[in-house]
Amino acid sequence: MVSTKRLGYGFNGNQSPTMLLVPRSAKGKRSVRKKSRDNHTNAIDMLATIAADLLLESEKSFTAPVIGGPSNPTSNGTLKKEDLFEVKPIKEEAFDQGSCSESVSGSNGGCALKEHGKLNSDVCSKNPTQKELMTKCISGDCGYPFERHSPCYAECWEGNLAGGMRALNQCEPLTNMSPDIWKGLETCILGELMQLDSKPSALVSSDSSVEVPSSEDHIPRNTSFPTGWWEEKQLHLDRDDDDDENCSRCTHGSTITSKVFRSHDKQNDRIKKLLMSKFRKDSRLSTNRDFPNSDVDKKLLFSSRKIGYTRKRTQRYPFKRRKCFHRGLMSTYDEAVNYEYMSNLPEINMKVENFDMDASLHEANIKSSNVTGQRSIHESEDFHVKLRIKSFKVPELFVEIPKSATVGSLKRMVMEAVTAILRGGIHVGVLLQGKKIRDDSKTLLQAGISHGDKLDKLGFILEPDNVTLSPPLLTNHEEPSPLLPCNATEPLTRSPSATPLADPSTIIALPELPNPSAVNSPESDHNSFHFPMDVPLQDDHQDEISSDSRALVPVPATNMNALSIVPIQKRKRPEHSQRRIRRPFSVSEVEALVQAVEMLGTGRWRDVKIRAFDNANHRTYVDLKDKWKTLVHTAKITPQQRRGEPVPQELLDRVLAAHAYWSQQQARLPTKPSPAEDCMLN
DNA sequence: GTTAGGG
DNA sequence: CCCTAAC
């Protein structure tokens, strides 16, 4: 018996950032849209993207970006010119510390914007050039209807005045799209947002101004910053007037009147009709590229280059901002799986081709849009729920390995473990407030994955495919567990329930260690160094993982409790765990098996197991029996017919001999010990 | 829980 | 390596 200290490691994958843009009406988890193929859909795409941006940020509270350049103004507010022109890349780490962290902590939710607002105020007051530039961007001089999507404004935000100026100069006005049209579109979208806010007082009044109540009350307490998008917008517009007061206004959510709502209602309705009509036609004529030449159609056909730039911006900012200000939110999205396609951010983020699939909803939209004032909340169906999955975690793994093991062996163990989990296929489970959403046919809206407060509780789970559905076990796993970041730094210490590895008898001898019993131990062979799969798959263990880590912890296959709640498509073994990983017998294992069978015979596999494979936890006596069966078969066929690692002919000869002998013995006296065993017993 | 045998 | 009948 080998006694050796083991090191426990917990793994949680770390993968590339992802962002998903999914229409609310999308069904199922795989409703990722295909990329748009023409300018028409590009235009809709862009509008949808913008709308989604606005929507999300109105719901989840938009937070201001951090100025990249003069991020650390001196106490007296003095800013050097070179500071303004210096492009300082924003490091993500910066968002996890300092004022960002404070603002995230919750008590002073307005701190982030306050800081930012003051900062920007300082910048503006000290540098009228930047202020002017920003104003130009806001006013639409660069042709972008929403300043946040304006390249020059974006640059200004980051303090990159030179870049902002360059962007402004390079920016071609969208001559095909009159400002009024854009204003109208904007108003339409914002109208949707207000409706979504579910505030009865959110009205589009006929006097061309809109009173927008604060969304503060609807912001989850654990979100970082209770400020609506329009509030931030207003902050920009009113920055000339004050600085600190901006913050208090935003934070306390007083009623404001925003310039952006001052559009003409009739025009808005007309535009909306055209837009909705356009969307509807698009959904019906998805393959028809000859689009009607309505005004909107023409005006939607603008340069795709701009769209691309806009998208680039829309991806860029939410990523940074929420990293800073929405830590609590982001953490729920951090859970993820290492899917290759997930890393293709630009592709996924532009999936809005079938922007509107629900014709009935469109009808409702058009119908309701004809009615001024209250509109159905279903209008928001057309917008998107934007989920940013920062990373997907691979299943949490547990590896126990002697300190003396090599790094290479550790790598192999991890590789084996990962392979074992992935080989059976894998799928994503969706958790909302700790509960599984099993009905793939539900829309996101129906499932409740549409509102900001709910999105906080949204999580994803990576699960093996070969799992089963067992209702009696549901309650165990369905307990709402807050989805928080998982550090998984103490994976093994939190398992009070003894695992097989805690038992010395299950410790696997490793080649690096002197092993007195290695003579008969197949595990002493270098090739037989395997990841102890039995260990991490204990039920109790996994339950703790699921509840403690609270992250996207994919459920190992043999966790019956967890697996039981997983809806599956490919369910080949409904009531059982994932197939064990294939572990070919090494030559030394074969030798040990042959030797044991020579002594014990072919009908005492349990004894064979105990005698020769007691340390090999992954070899059951059934495995040994099966292996012997295949060995006999292998010995009978020609070497050319054999596959896998060649077994020495000497061993195969012994197999045949032993097989012949014990077949004969079993026919005569099934219980008589072999001469060899007699010798051993003596 | 083991064994044996088909898949 | 899985599954299961038979013990």
Side-chain angles (χ1 to χ4, degrees), chain A residues 307-527:
Chain A
I307 297 174
Y309 195 91
T310 301
R311 285 204 185 102
K312 186 178 178 182
R313 286 294 174 186
T314 59
Q315 295 165 10
R316 180 179 178 182
Y317 277 98
F319 187 79
K320 288 180 179 176
R321 289 170 183 168
R322 290 168 199 156
K323 175 70 176 182
C324 170
F325 299 110
H326 292 278
R327 172 179 292 175
L329 170 63
M330 287 314 305
S331 63
T332 63
Y333 298 152
D334 283 351
E335 303 102 12
V337 197
N338 190 10
Y339 276 149
E340 292 181 6
Y341 69 85
M342 289 293 188
S343 61
N344 195 349
L345 178 60
E347 287 295 315
I348 291 178
N349 200 24
M350 293 192 293
K351 317 293 193 210
V352 285
E353 182 179 62
N354 296 321
F355 178 57
D356 192 350
M357 296 295 292
D358 196 331
S360 62
L361 279 177
H362 271 302
E363 294 294 341
N365 288 343
I366 297 170
K367 200 172 182 178
S368 62
S369 66
N370 290 331
V371 181
T372 57
Q374 295 292 335
R375 303 178 200 174
S376 168
I377 194 171
H378 289 291
E379 291 187 60
S380 61
E381 286 266 359
D382 290 333
F383 298 106
H384 292 78
V385 179
K386 191 152 65 175
L387 309 175
R388 190 165 81 83
I389 300 174
K390 178 186 170 187
S391 67
F392 268 60
K393 285 190 174 70
V394 297
E396 191 166 0
L397 305 176
F398 292 92
V399 176
E400 188 165 282
I401 184 172
K403 292 178 179 177
S404 56
T406 63
V407 173
S409 62
L410 174 61
K411 290 179 179 176
R412 288 195 300 273
M413 289 178 73
V414 175
M415 190 62 208
E416 278 197 56
V418 172
T419 303
I421 292 175
L422 294 179
R423 62 179 312 205
I426 210 162
H427 67 269
V428 174
V430 176
L431 283 167
L432 188 61
Q433 291 180 313
K435 290 194 174 184
K436 285 243 180 182
I437 301 176
R438 298 189 187 84
D439 189 355
D440 285 1
S441 63
K442 277 186 179 177
T443 67
L444 301 185
L445 186 64
Q446 291 169 341
I449 311 176
S450 57
H451 297 291
D453 54 341
K454 291 287 186 60
L455 288 176
D456 278 344
K457 308 291 177 55
L458 185 63
F460 297 89
I461 287 184
L462 176 61
E463 297 157 321
D465 261 341
N466 291 325
V467 289
T468 182
L469 184 63
S470 175
L473 297 174
L474 288 182
T475 54
N476 191 7
H477 195 73
E478 287 234 31
E479 290 179 2
S481 61
L483 296 171
L484 296 175
C486 174
N487 291 327
T489 53
E490 72 307 353
L492 291 179
T493 59
R494 64 188 175 193
S495 179
S497 58
T499 68
L501 279 186
D503 181 353
S505 66
T506 65
I507 293 177
I508 298 174
L510 292 180
E512 291 83 1
L513 298 173
N515 183 3
S517 62
V519 177
N520 287 331
S521 173
E523 291 299 331
S524 63
D525 186 275
H526 286 241
N527 295 327

Side-chain angles (χ1 to χ4, degrees), chain A residues 212-216 226-227 231 247-256:
Chain A
V212 185
S214 166
S215 61
E216 181 182 18
T227 300
E231 291 169 323
C247 183
S248 62
R249 177 195 308 176
C250 296
T251 305
H252 297 88
S254 60
T255 299
I256 62 174

Side-chain angles (χ1 to χ4, degrees), chain A residues 36-154:
Chain A
S36 301
R37 292 174 183 174
D38 50 46
N39 286 339
H40 174 79
T41 50
N42 276 344
I44 297 177
D45 191 338
M46 173 185 169
L47 289 174
T49 304
I50 294 170
D53 271 356
L54 298 175
L55 177 66
L56 182 79
E57 277 147 14
S58 69
E59 288 183 340
K60 306 194 66 58
S61 80
F62 174 75
T63 53
V66 169
I67 298 177
S71 57
N72 289 311
T74 56
S75 58
N76 59 1
T78 302
L79 288 172
K80 296 180 180 179
K81 198 172 183 179
E82 51 266 33
D83 287 335
L84 291 175
F85 282 83
E86 182 183 1
V87 180
K88 296 181 179 178
I90 299 177
K91 296 180 180 179
E92 289 191 356
E93 301 83 63
F95 292 87
D96 295 328
Q97 301 168 353
S99 60
C100 290
S101 299
E102 294 175 6
S103 63
V104 175
S105 62
S107 60
N108 51 348
C111 178
L113 184 57
K114 180 178 181 179
E115 186 69 20
H116 166 68
K118 190 173 189 309
L119 207 58
N120 241 13
S121 250
D122 292 340
V123 173
C124 292
S125 61
K126 300 294 180 184
N127 193 309
T129 302
Q130 181 176 19
K131 176 183 173 182
E132 289 177 5
L133 188 55
M134 296 171 76
T135 304
K136 276 179 172 294
C137 298
I138 294 174
S139 63
D141 280 8
C142 80
Y144 283 76
F146 308 115
E147 67 271 23
R148 281 179 43 238
H149 298 268
S150 158
C152 65
Y153 189 83

Side-chain angles (χ1 to χ4, degrees), chain A residues 466-591:
Chain A
N466 291 325
V467 289
T468 182
L469 184 63
S470 175
L473 297 174
L474 288 182
T475 54
N476 191 7
H477 195 73
E478 287 234 31
E479 290 179 2
S481 61
L483 296 171
L484 296 175
C486 174
N487 291 327
T489 53
E490 72 307 353
L492 291 179
T493 59
R494 64 188 175 193
S495 179
S497 58
T499 68
L501 279 186
D503 181 353
S505 66
T506 65
I507 293 177
I508 298 174
L510 292 180
E512 291 83 1
L513 298 173
N515 183 3
S517 62
V519 177
N520 287 331
S521 173
E523 291 299 331
S524 63
D525 186 275
H526 286 241
N527 295 327
S528 62
F529 178 68
H530 293 300
F531 175 75
M533 285 301 295
D534 315 70
V535 176
L537 304 179
Q538 299 301 306
D539 291 356
D540 297 341
H541 207 80
Q542 283 307 314
D543 283 345
E544 289 212 25
I545 294 170
S546 300
S547 58
D548 281 0
S549 66
R550 292 167 297 186
L552 272 200
V553 180
V555 183
T558 54
N559 180 352
M560 297 302 292
N561 286 352
L563 296 178
S564 63
I565 68 171
V566 180
I568 324 161
Q569 293 88 11
K570 309 172 185 176
R571 199 183 306 167
K572 294 180 180 178
R573 285 183 295 277
E575 301 299 332
H576 291 273
S577 59
Q578 183 182 3
R579 185 186 180 98
R580 289 190 300 158
I581 185 175
R582 184 174 177 272
R583 289 167 152 169
F585 276 70
S586 64
V587 173
S588 63
E589 282 181 301
V590 171
E591 185 171 5

